[in-house]
Amino acid sequence: MNKTRGIAIYGKGGIGKSTVVSNLAAAYSQNQKVLVIGCDPKADTTRTLVGKRIPTILDTMRKNKNTSREDVLYSGYGNVACVESGGPEPGVGCAGRGVIVAMSLLEKIGIFEDDLGLILYDVLGDVVCGGFAVPLREEYAEEVYIVTSGEYMALYAANNISKGIKKLKGSLGGIICNCRGINREVELVSEFADKIGSHVVGVITRSELVQKSEIDAKTVMEKYPESEQAQKYRELSFSIFHNQQFVIPQPMDVEEFEEFFQNFNDDK
Ligand code: ADP
Ligand code: MG
């Protein structure tokens, strides 16, 4: 049995993590067995793979103490195995704690003993909560990638996430630039990556095909396999697969970050 590769994708809420994760999973499913673990309380990572929302681990456990594998594990496009941790009801409890509970259940039902080539974790990263570090801290995922655009808040969150990764001595494989259409966006994100000692591992263009696929609860990979956008996700899957550049990031402090962002934008 080959060792399973665990990859965690972090980023600010709404930045495009789930879209990246589901399309990567679809790309990798062509030649290996993939498991996707949605660790965001939004619980929509696997929707475009399965074609619908699936019951979350936390919801299922609330209803049934003896949750079985069949209750929480769903098969999606390309036979990708899909689970969603879910979260607490809004306003009560800690979302990170939900991830811990979900991961223990997955261990109990033996998911990590399956012969998996790759596990992709979709992890929210703009909440200061210990639980969000679970995939990394518990060494489920040995590689991390951060999704960002060139927007201030997205980069700010990316910098914060790298602080967490550094603290946990995690291994940052690179930055994924999910473009929003900002001026000199790839250049800005590359400079950011460089500043924290990393590199841009892939660039995903903004495309309306993402929304069009989303309406049908499909990935771009499934709905528009011949499109340029699908090719972008395929290229990203190759770069990550063959990536050799792993670092403990060197995040900026708040002042450095401000200066970096201002300087870039002054320098037109
Ligand atoms: P996250 O998981 O980080 O919260 P999502 O993957 O759900 O973010 O993406 C947020 C929204 O942005 C979605 O509605 C999605 O359709 C859109 N989106 C993500 N990536 C792209 C892209 N490359 N082009 C156009 N829209 C995108
Ligand atoms: Mg998401």
Side-chain angles (χ1 to χ4, degrees):
M1 196 166 105
N2 292 325
K3 192 186 174 308
T4 307
R5 198 167 158 186
I7 297 181
I9 309 285
Y10 279 78
K12 173 188 173 292
I15 199 59
K17 294 179 296 295
S18 300
T19 310
V20 163
V21 167
S22 54
N23 280 286
L24 278 181
Y28 287 126
S29 74
Q30 311 257 296
N31 41 34
Q32 58 185 315
K33 180 70 187 158
V34 185
L35 167 66
V36 172
I37 305 184
C39 303
D40 185 327
K42 266 194 284 173
D44 59 355
T45 306
T46 58
R47 177 181 167 271
T48 51
L49 287 162
V50 184
K52 58 172 189 197
R53 276 182 171 271
I54 63 171
T56 70
I57 295 179
L58 258 71
D59 277 347
T60 310
M61 286 176 76
R62 269 184 215 116
K63 289 184 201 125
N64 177 3
K65 291 274 171 280
N66 297 312
T67 300
S68 69
R69 182 179 259 262
E70 291 69 37
D71 296 329
V72 292
L73 187 62
Y74 285 74
S75 182
Y77 172 80
N79 259 332
V80 173
C82 299
V83 295
E84 291 284 352
S85 75
E89 284 159 39
V92 258
C94 158
R97 171 95 199 114
V99 179
I100 298 174
V101 173
M103 295 304 284
S104 329
L105 180 83
L106 292 177
E107 272 187 5
K108 200 173 104 194
I109 60 181
I111 268 190
F112 300 106
E113 280 136 50
D114 290 1
D115 194 5
L116 298 162
L118 185 72
I119 305 181
L120 290 168
Y121 297 86
D122 179 3
V123 200
L124 183 64
D126 55 353
V127 182
V128 186
C129 165
F132 288 98
V134 173
L136 254 181
R137 199 184 51 216
E138 306 289 335
E139 290 177 17
Y140 289 112
E142 57 279 346
E143 299 170 38
V144 187
Y145 297 85
I146 304 175
V147 181
T148 187
S149 65
E151 287 163 303
Y152 175 85
M153 281 314 293
L155 287 167
Y156 184 85
N159 190 51
N160 259 349
I161 293 162
S162 12
K163 287 182 190 169
I165 300 171
K166 184 183 177 188
K167 196 158 272 171
L168 297 165
K169 299 192 175 54
S171 177
L172 178 62
I175 306 291
I176 299 165
C177 178
N178 191 37
C179 295
R180 280 291 156 112
I182 285 171
N183 201 15
R184 294 159 69 209
E185 190 162 27
V186 179
E187 201 187 321
L188 171 57
V189 173
S190 304
E191 270 194 31
F192 169 79
D194 204 45
K195 278 265 180 215
I196 63 163
S198 186
H199 69 130
V200 171
V201 70
V203 176
I204 302 292
T205 35
R206 189 162 182 82
S207 159
E208 59 168 18
L209 296 189
V210 172
Q211 276 79 34
K212 285 190 173 162
S213 314
E214 208 168 49
I215 291 168
D216 279 4
K218 287 194 166 85
T219 57
V220 175
M221 293 299 295
E222 180 180 7
K223 189 158 162 110
Y224 301 105
E226 308 298 332
S227 64
E228 267 180 44
Q229 190 69 5
Q231 193 50 28
K232 297 285 178 213
Y233 291 115
R234 237 172 255 125
E235 281 165 18
L236 177 64
S237 76
F238 292 140
S239 319
I240 290 180
F241 193 78
H242 297 291
N243 185 31
Q244 305 267 349
Q245 196 182 319
F246 296 98
V247 298
I248 293 182
Q250 298 302 325
M252 289 174 255
D253 62 33
V254 179
E255 292 76 29
E256 270 178 291
F257 178 79
E258 285 299 316
E259 201 179 318
F260 156 75
F261 195 77
Q262 293 304 337
N263 283 350
F264 183 89
N265 287 297
D266 289 344
D267 163 40
K268 282 194 190 94

